[in-house]
Amino acid sequence: MSTITVDVHGTGAGATPAPAQVLAPTPLVEGRPTLHQITEDIAYPLEARPGKGWWICFAIAFAALLNLGGMVTYLFAKGVGIWGLSNSVGWAFAITNFVFWIGIGHAGTLISAILLLFRQKWRTSINRSAEAMTIFAVMCAGIFPLIHVGRPWDVFFIFPYFPNQRGPLWINFRSPLVWDVFAISTYFTISLVFWYLGMIPDLATLRDRARGGIKKIVFRILSLGWNGSHRTWSRYEIVSLILAGLATPLVLSVHSIVSMDFATSLLPGWHTTIFPPYFVAGAIYSGFGMVLTLLILTRQTMHLQHYITLEHLDKMAKVTMFTGMIVSYAYITEFFTAWYSGNMYEQYHFINRATGPYAWCFYLMVLCNVITPQLLWTKKARTNVVFLFIVSILVNIGMWFERFVIIVVSQHRSQLPSGWGMFYPTIWDIGILIGSFGLFFTCFLIFIRVLPMIAMWEIKGVVAHGAHKIALNTDEDEREVVNA
Amino acid sequence: MPNTNTFVVATFSDPEALLQAVKAARAEQFRIHDVYAPYPIHGLDQAMGIRHSRLPWVTFWAGLTGLILALTFQFYTTVLDWPLNIGGKPDNSTLAFVPICFELTVLIGGVTTAVALLVRAKLFPGRREQLAAEGVTDDKFALVLKKRSIDLKHASAILRENGAENVEQREINL
Amino acid sequence: MDNHGGTKRSCKERPAELVQIGTPAAPAYWKSPEELHKGVHVTGEFPGGLPSAKSGASEASRRDFLAMMGFTLAAAGLAGCRAPVQNAIPLLVGSDQIIPGVSNYYATTCRGCASTCSLLVKQRDGRPIKIEGNAESALFGSGTCATGQATVLSLYDDARLRQPIWHGQPAKWEKIDQQVLDSLGEAENRKARISLLSGTINSPSMREIISKWKARYPNFSHVAYDPISFSAIRTANANSFGRAVVPHYLFDKAQVIAALEADFLGTWLSPVEFARAYAAKRKPEATPSLHVQFESGLSVTGSNADVRVPVAPSEMGAVAAALLRRIAGKAQSANVPDGSDPVASEKLDAIADELWKHRGESLVISGVNDLSVQTTINAINGLLGNIGKTIDLTQPSLQREGDDQAMAALVEAMERGEIHTLILYGVNPAYDYADAERFLNALQKAKLAVSFSDRVDETSLHVHAVCPDHHFLEAWGDAEPVASHFSLAQPLIAPLFETRAAAESLLRWLGDPQPNYYTYLREFWRKNMLPRQTEIKDFDTFWDRSLQDGVVVLASAGATRWPSATRDWEKTLHSVLQAQGPAPASRGDDSYDLHFYESVALRDGRHANNPWLQELPDPISKVTWGNYAAVSPKLAAKLGLEDGDVVRLKTDRGQIELPAFVQPGQETHTISVALGHGRTAVGKAGEHVGVNVFPLTSIKNGARSYSLRNAAVEKTGKQESIASTQTHFSMEGRPIVLETSLAELKNGESNEGKESVPTLWAERLHGEHSWGMAVDMNACTGCSACVVACQAENNVPVVGKDQVERNRIMHWIRIDRYYSGPDENPVSVHQPMMCQHCQNAPCETVCPVAATTTSSEGLNQQAYNRCIGTRYCANNCPYKVRRFNWYNYTDNPEYDFNMASPLGRMVLNPDVVVRSRGVMEKCSMCVQRIQLGKNIALQGERDMADGDVQTACQQACPTQAIVFGDLKDPNSRVSRLRENQRHYEVLEDLGVRPNVGYLKKVRNPIAKA
């Protein structure tokens, strides 16, 4: 079908395959930049001096990061007793933050991998930064297990290493925490590889722009001598599709496994079979919330409105709304299951969730994750930048509290009433949470300064060449998908 | 006898022109060494007659290795090497091994594929880039023909009428 | 067990030839009750451990060592100075005689309180480290109380005096002795009075020493003073029956028990003995006794009663009278006192019926220290014919001899300056006397005041000389808790400091230049005890047997036949009731009664510096570290009080401020406050914890009164934290503590019907044992002895009030207490909860590093050095019995309780590793004891027998509520109990298959009441 229409403006819009037609009726990039113009625009932030806005953000983020360093050092010196934990509630902020950050990461992989498989061309201008977000989010998540145990020097016990001084004492492969270790490290590695591979051609471009100096050397090393050979390009695209094909089930597995930390235990409120899909949906929901937050900020501060258009925001808002509704559905299912199960512990737990001492967390969660997405039905709302920004913040707050409710509220009243207790966060709990945001934003702010936050070659691909390529080879596109 | 590093390089700024030129060059039985572009030009594979890559097979075998490794290792440690009574569960709790099997399949499959690509394309840190022409990583496109068995005049004529901006003979270490 | 007199003689006379002593002879100490009967077998640390296995062949050498140790300890006492102590641990004389890592058990006598229970103390490498009950004792059995368990820690208390003190300065014994002798001489010349103010002294030899003082110093007087006084009982019995004694109550003979404000299972008179006897009579398989409790605040005893009636202290008299009225009516007695019923009449009728139905096998007691109440009680028991049946006045209890009037008189005499030399022994009036101020001022008037206190306490701060007494584990001694029931005490360790036995001080000041209490004691027993038995002629044999057993029952000396009917107690009763006048007028709306009671942990406060006791949750409120004002839910609602709201209690004896604690079952118009808190000089752990309410007690008609009328209470608006270890008291309808009624039980509601929860996995093969436990919810009184026993056995750290508030208490065994029914007067249950050692343990599956696994003997075991501290196991434990080391609680100045000081660490059990920061820990079912038991069996080349291994909690339990054993052995007690129709598992439906089971609580209420 697509061979007829030829869009001279080369946005690839009119002619993209059916699913894209739904999602991409308008230009992906505003204006008609030449290839060189694209290079110029995207390389600009890397070569110009940072503006005041960037410096302010960076100062705040870095301060928070320093705070994290200080607090974690103190924690390692004293012990996890400085947190508000107790015999009743052994997991609280650290694990909540861990799950929260892992969740954030998922949107990046979704955009870069899943949308690639679905050939969503609109992803091109946001996937690079989304992937970067994934990397940094997983880093933030990764530090929490270390902090959580309070004795990082013993954490290597959790790896099945050899030779093993402790006799043939291996690890317990039945423990979801061990699954976590493998899932998270795999997820981080694959995301990193995917991200880096995608960046090599752009690094080469920057290398060739650089006029000598350290910059040139660094880019030369990083770009591995890329010279744009089409034979390489053609393998390159296949590998991208393969990695996308691997990353897609991976990202689904990661949060499923994280959710099994809870689902496989027998604590009322944790012991639930719907956790895996429910957590994955929640992850994508929160992830898109974070992507929105970041991109709205960067497109303003970096003046990239032409590349990250309202159209992108609109599409992300739609995904947010959709996953938000899945999450809401999961909430309802939980309550129904508890009632329908006739299990007194389950029933008590959910009554307690909605009426107990932590009810306010529950209702805040409902407000942010059930009510808020409903505000995104109108296009007007989805394209109002300020409004979207507020929504995205609410989404993040809501998802953090969702994890808090699941983790803390379930523990604080378990099977034996004699073991019941409360959790009150200390300054150390809160400080370390803030610190993790510091780490995240510091990394991200540095990223947008030193690396191309938009994939130049992909933009060039869709802008300059979209129409032609598609006019000729739609059928072949499909075949590549098959090959992948 | 001209040496193998001598090429005829034609540069374009319009990818469609390049595509035409490639077709023409092949029609003329010129030996196309490679095409250099700032982004993958779709349709060029057919035009240049590039065969399908075998990289997917690398992924398959690497992934399979990961799977077997994970399965055997978990079985060895928990059943053969040191079985422990953990929660009264059987030593061989195969279902509990599934997540790690999956993760290792993906990990080893994915990383190996990426490495295979770099190896196949001879990309490695410290390699000095060899650019066929100025700006092939920015907005220029270059068609590179093997000099051997080509008459430069004839070739350049054909290429120019297909929109090449410049055709020259160069010695590059591509 | 004979002809080793030579040993002892040589010990006494030729200390130089110490090494040669010991012809093969039984030592005066034995490792375990088994050893006493089955003979000695040495144990080692390792199966077939080489040194022990060998020495097993030659017991004599080891016995030499033990005998020698016995002697050298005596020698230590003998001189009371350093030199001989140096030789006390005879490592110098051949280490082939000592087996490192092997524990010995010595029988001795507890001095934790005046009950003086018989003990068996575990000594390891020369250090006493664990207190256990002496199963040989006919009175106390193998159980102990929480306080007794904790006394071993007091031995290693940093606050103990290192040497005598003269005018606040360390001094030499010689100097002080001289000063005292001078002062005594001066007093004698001046015809001035010399007084010894002591607590109850039930040591026969000490009594003799005191009588010697009487002889030596004509104007010497001895005054016995108990902060918790029983003098009204003594007076009442003097009036009613002509004997000023506290009777010996026989709970095991009582079919119906009615107690008025007497916490006899927790603190009253002799709780270990009473709990044991009470439980023996409460077995649902037999016909259990009926227990009625009238009390104002909910006590341990009340929480176990079949019928509990909340009554304000000011109405206890009326309750007693109301009961008497009914009983007298049934007995057609001449004079029946009239009056009105303070509580529902039909209740009283029903109770009276039950009492009357069981005349002669019922028991009515009261802890109210008031003459009229006690006389009424006497009348009731008299009419019921309980005297001589359940109440023994011929062989009375000698555990409380304090005389309030004598004490008051002494204070007056002191005020008048009549007391020239005052000797204080085991008393601390400046803290616990009703008029402490008055006492202190009077104390200034004494020319010389000497105290035997082991520390600088509120009183010894103001005396001229402090002559620190030994801790009882360092001292020789004897005791007679109940007439003709004797028990001996022997040292477990050479004195740690330059202390001296009080007895030796007293002997020294009688003029004996080289006092030796050990010798004195032996001679005393030769003179007085040997003749009272005919079985053994040779004294040394008798002595060694007695010392080895720790207890001996001798024919009662002197007049024992007590003419029952001769005294007309009815007349005295009448006079008393008239003297007492009409029942108190009904109270105003805002006037409340205050009720002061001994808390199970701290008792009268003498152990306030014992961190184990400070952190022991109160059996009822579960509050640690400090006391509180227990208010009824109704009053709390009225005043808008919540836990921790500070209230001001205004009384005519001054006012105090305390945090309120809403206590279900609390009598509506009564506010209960625990005594024994708020010490100002005792040591770092106990100082300024809680508020001292002794000043609010008073002397009423010659007796110390522990309640007040017409107190006003008001909310201050201030807040004070209360460190409670259990904040939710309802079972929420979950199958946690199951109950059954006696009727159901008799109708054989059996276990056959219920099928066990199916499991997904095949049964895993176990080793030759499968250790399990059964806890009888019907026997457990909640006394909490097991909690401290576990703490002592397993080196459980004390974490302090702040950590307890954060819900981080480390106890491996806790006693959950749940209420059901109306909160004016709920039904309570106590449930000991420790690791359930599940066979499908949820904690194990989730541990990433396999730090917790099931052992081949069915134990859920924790590998501390493998644990990385994810705390996943604790989350997944449905019983919440796992404990995490949030900080480094050991050797950490911030947690400066006992594990932070070298002295305090001496109490640690070398068999149990001390856990460090960041690891999870929990009940191990005393795996070290299991190992030892297996080794003993191995070296004895026999199979393990049921009962070879006792866990610490089981051993400490005075009511035998906990039974541990091998589930693989079908005849073991625990296996049989698992077949019991009362048996069930907590949260059975989760399918975790615990190896710890429980026996249902049996309810047996009176139909009408």
Side-chain angles (χ1 to χ4, degrees), chain A residues 76-78 81-83 85-88 90-91 148 150-151 172 175 261 265-266 345 411 414-415 417-418, chain C residues 730 734 806-809 814 816 818 844-848 867 870-872 875-876 886-887 894 917-918 987:
Chain A
F76 289 164
K78 293 283 287 185
I82 62 175
W83 286 335
L85 300 170
S86 68
N87 290 339
S88 310
W91 286 6
H148 171 77
R151 291 182 306 155
N172 173 16
S175 167
D261 289 350
S265 84
L266 46 69
Y345 307 107
Q411 286 176 75
S414 55
Q415 284 94 339
S418 61
Chain C
S730 158
R734 301 175 178 185
R806 294 171 187 275
N807 185 1
R808 294 174 180 177
I809 197 159
R814 62 172 198 263
D816 294 343
Y818 298 104
E844 295 173 3
T845 317
V846 297
C847 175
C867 174
T870 67
R871 308 190 283 289
Y872 201 173
N875 292 349
N876 212 23
W886 300 99
Y887 292 111
E894 289 173 48
R917 182 190 119 197
L987 302 177

Side-chain angles (χ1 to χ4, degrees), chain A residues 40 76 84 135 144 223 230 232 248 313 393 415 423 426 461:
Chain A
E40 289 294 333
F76 289 164
I135 308 282
F144 275 105
S223 60
H230 182 77
T232 310
T248 304
L313 301 186
I393 299 293
Q415 284 94 339
F423 168 81
T426 65

Side-chain angles (χ1 to χ4, degrees), chain A residues 436-458:
Chain A
S436 69
F437 279 91
L439 172 61
F440 180 76
F441 281 105
T442 308
C443 294
F444 193 81
L445 287 166
I446 293 173
F447 157 72
I448 60 179
R449 272 289 150 204
V450 300
L451 292 170
M453 64 167 290
I454 294 178
M456 297 187 230
W457 66 269
E458 293 196 57

Side-chain angles (χ1 to χ4, degrees), chain C residues 797-948:
Chain C
V798 173
V799 295
K801 185 175 187 184
D802 171 67
Q803 292 293 297
V804 175
E805 277 165 26
R806 294 171 187 275
N807 185 1
R808 294 174 180 177
I809 197 159
M810 294 301 284
H811 291 161
W812 282 6
I813 179 173
R814 62 172 198 263
I815 299 185
D816 294 343
R817 206 257 310 91
Y818 298 104
Y819 296 130
S820 55
D823 62 4
E824 304 82 59
N825 187 18
V827 176
S828 343
V829 286
H830 302 275
Q831 180 174 50
M833 181 54 64
M834 72 298 285
C835 175
Q836 303 287 294
H837 294 274
C838 312
Q839 293 316 285
N840 293 347
C843 51
E844 295 173 3
T845 317
V846 297
C847 175
V849 293
T852 180
T853 56
T854 304
S855 84
S856 61
E857 299 184 349
L859 293 176
N860 170 275
Q861 55 194 8
Q862 179 78 11
Y864 302 126
N865 56 354
R866 176 68 173 174
C867 174
I868 60 174
T870 67
R871 308 190 283 289
Y872 201 173
C873 51
N875 292 349
N876 212 23
C877 172
Y879 306 97
K880 287 282 171 285
V881 291
R882 288 177 158 262
R883 297 287 175 256
F884 189 67
N885 288 270
W886 300 99
Y887 292 111
N888 178 19
Y889 292 125
T890 62
D891 199 6
N892 179 349
E894 289 173 48
Y895 299 92
D896 185 7
F897 300 108
N898 63 313
M899 289 207 195
S901 89
L903 183 60
R905 275 197 296 272
M906 283 175 75
V907 82
L908 294 181
N909 179 358
D911 292 335
V912 179
V913 67
V914 170
R915 283 76 60 186
S916 64
R917 182 190 119 197
V919 306
M920 192 62 73
E921 61 184 68
K922 61 160 194 66
C923 160
S924 67
M925 263 195 188
C926 289
V927 65
Q928 66 280 7
R929 288 179 173 229
I930 295 175
Q931 202 53 39
L932 180 63
K934 283 155 73 177
N935 295 349
I936 294 175
L938 194 74
Q939 288 150 14
E941 283 160 354
R942 60 181 176 87
D943 293 341
M944 286 190 78
D946 190 29
D948 272 5

Side-chain angles (χ1 to χ4, degrees), chain C residues 162-350:
Chain C
R162 288 346 196 221
Q163 69 288 306
I165 300 286
W166 176 258
H167 284 285
Q169 297 306 322
K172 288 258 156 293
W173 280 104
E174 298 71 19
K175 178 184 181 199
I176 292 181
D177 290 341
Q178 204 43 58
Q179 297 284 358
V180 175
L181 285 166
D182 295 351
S183 169
L184 289 170
E186 187 187 333
E188 203 176 2
N189 304 337
R190 294 232 206 105
K191 302 270 177 293
R193 282 182 60 189
I194 301 164
S195 279
L196 169 65
L197 176 60
S198 78
T200 296
I201 290 179
N202 62 12
S203 152
S205 56
M206 185 60 95
R207 285 216 197 86
E208 193 192 53
I209 293 176
I210 291 169
S211 58
K212 284 199 164 128
W213 273 70
K214 289 209 178 78
R216 168 75 179 74
Y217 300 104
N219 43 14
F220 168 84
S221 65
H222 170 225
V223 175
Y225 157 73
D226 292 326
I228 307 297
S229 167
F230 279 55
S231 65
I233 295 185
R234 299 165 62 81
T235 324
N237 286 337
N239 298 348
S240 309
F241 310 116
R243 301 196 104 207
V245 295
V246 176
H248 183 214
Y249 299 99
L250 307 172
F251 285 85
D252 50 353
K253 294 201 167 49
Q255 199 58 53
V256 179
I257 301 161
L260 288 74
E261 206 77 273
D263 183 10
F264 60 87
L265 296 176
T267 57
W268 191 73
L269 190 53
S270 185
V272 174
E273 176 196 353
F274 293 161
R276 175 167 179 250
Y278 174 83
K281 192 67 178 167
R282 297 273 289 176
K283 292 199 170 17
E285 287 71 17
T287 50
S289 61
L290 177 76
H291 172 198
V292 182
Q293 186 84 0
F294 298 89
E295 62 181 8
S296 48
L298 181 53
S299 72
V300 177
T301 313
S303 71
N304 285 282
D306 297 307
V307 180
R308 178 178 178 270
V309 188
V311 177
S314 58
E315 284 170 341
M316 278 302 162
V319 171
L323 281 177
L324 174 60
R325 195 157 54 245
R326 288 168 170 72
I327 301 296
K330 295 172 189 297
Q332 287 97 26
S333 163
N335 35 28
V336 179
D338 47 7
S340 63
D341 293 341
V343 293
S345 303
E346 55 279 9
K347 243 194 186 107
L348 291 165
D349 293 337

